[in-house]
Amino acid sequence: MRKNIVAGNWKMNTTVPEGVQLAKEVVEKSKEVPAEVGLIVATPFTHLCPVAEVLKGTRVELSAQNCADKEKGAYTGEVSVGMLVSTGAKWTILGHSERRQYYGENDSKLVDKVQLALAAGLKVILCVGENLDEREAGKHFDVVKTQTENVLYHFTAEDMKNIVVAYEPVWAIGTGKTATAEQAQEIHACIRKVLAAKFGAQVADDTTILYGGSCKPSNAKELFAQPDIDGGLIGGAALKADDFIGIAMSF
Ligand code: PGA
């Protein structure tokens, strides 16, 4: 049975002391959330070590937001999967639309990154999602199918145990515009079908698929009630512990 997860993507927000404080608040309030719901915070690289200290022995797991596409060496400014593991991080987000849009992240680079992350023992939250032009042109199913296939078809059913998919329509990220529960559900069902075609129905059924894009306490319940929506990847609302935990209480 797949797991419900709520993951907070802090993006490039908070200083280290602010992030440590936020992590402490999330830990404190996490006691209100049913034990079976997975909780993850994805912090900036600089915050991983101190936040790992805060999360030690708690149910809240630590994630990075990206990793290098090389193992180690002369790659100034990059952070390797080995470095992430050494901080205590258990996860990394990969392929976020902001990375695809602003930093030239493409599917082939993502294959390398997912490969390295899994080999290092990290779990991966792989993001897919169409932009506004693609949705208006009616290409959203095709775009999401292609992004999913281009990366995940390089992996095995065994690898899928350590991969979560996040559907994040780019037009809904940070815009206040949420996909309707129906719009999200139909894409989630499509992603599950794409996974089933390669890995079989059982693996598809066991894979957690998160929704992301202006998810907040007021709309999470309706989204999470959909049969193929297993939780959320939360940006803006993850910066307030009350809102983040409010979302996690919405199953
Ligand atoms: P948002 O961001 O919740 O601020 O829309 C979601 C994300 O990009 O992960």
Side-chain angles (χ1 to χ4, degrees):
M1 199 40 207
R2 59 186 181 257
K3 196 174 167 70
N4 289 328
I5 294 173
V6 173
N9 174 11
W10 294 2
K11 307 193 181 183
M12 199 174 72
N13 292 298
T14 74
T15 61
V16 172
E18 287 165 353
V20 165
Q21 180 57 29
L22 176 55
K24 284 181 182 164
E25 289 170 21
V26 168
V27 166
E28 183 53 36
K29 292 176 201 291
S30 67
K31 295 168 186 135
E32 300 163 27
V33 180
E36 63 276 12
V37 177
L39 294 173
I40 299 170
V41 292
T43 79
F45 291 137
T46 44
H47 300 36
L48 289 169
C49 282
V51 170
E53 279 302 308
V54 175
L55 302 186
K56 209 175 264 173
T58 79
R59 61 182 289 186
V60 184
E61 296 187 357
L62 184 61
S63 177
Q65 301 171 10
N66 183 31
C67 69
D69 61 344
K70 305 283 191 302
E71 203 174 342
K72 64 173 176 178
Y75 302 102
T76 302
E78 290 295 302
V79 176
S80 74
V81 289
M83 295 172 190
L84 296 182
V85 169
S86 74
T87 68
K90 298 276 181 280
W91 294 81
T92 185
I93 297 173
L94 288 174
H96 191 281
S97 64
E98 287 150 16
R99 300 228 42 100
R100 294 180 190 255
Q101 196 176 342
Y102 308 134
Y103 301 99
E105 192 115 313
N106 57 36
D107 290 337
S108 92
K109 218 173 236 191
L110 280 169
V111 172
D112 294 341
K113 290 188 177 193
V114 174
Q115 196 107 57
L116 285 164
L118 294 179
L122 287 173
K123 296 184 186 187
V124 170
I125 300 174
L126 177 76
C127 303
V128 296
E130 81 286 358
N131 63 32
L132 186 58
D133 288 349
E134 291 161 341
R135 174 151 291 259
E136 285 177 343
K139 294 185 188 150
H140 39 295
F141 287 105
D142 284 344
V143 169
V144 169
K145 180 171 185 277
T146 304
Q147 287 175 344
T148 307
E149 289 176 354
N150 282 355
V151 179
L152 293 184
Y153 277 23
H154 291 265
F155 296 91
T156 65
E158 194 56 28
D159 292 331
M160 287 305 297
K161 290 182 182 158
N162 293 312
I163 297 174
V164 163
V165 181
Y167 168 56
E168 299 207 304
V170 178
W171 48 272
I173 295 177
T175 57
K177 264 194 220 167
T178 319
T180 64
E182 293 71 29
Q183 283 173 326
Q185 165 57 28
E186 62 184 9
I187 297 277
H188 281 233
C190 162
I191 292 169
R192 219 177 284 288
K193 228 170 88 186
V194 171
L195 297 179
K198 163 83 174 164
F199 304 109
Q202 190 61 53
V203 170
D205 204 44
D206 288 346
T207 302
T208 297
I209 307 179
L210 308 178
Y211 168 78
S214 300
C215 186
K216 34 190 185 271
S218 58
N219 59 26
K221 218 178 186 67
E222 197 191 347
L223 286 160
F224 297 175
Q226 302 301 312
D228 289 296
I229 301 183
D230 310 314
L233 180 54
I234 318 300
L239 296 172
K240 287 203 183 107
D242 277 334
D243 287 351
F244 182 63
I245 294 299
I247 292 169
M249 309 263 285
S250 302
F251 289 101

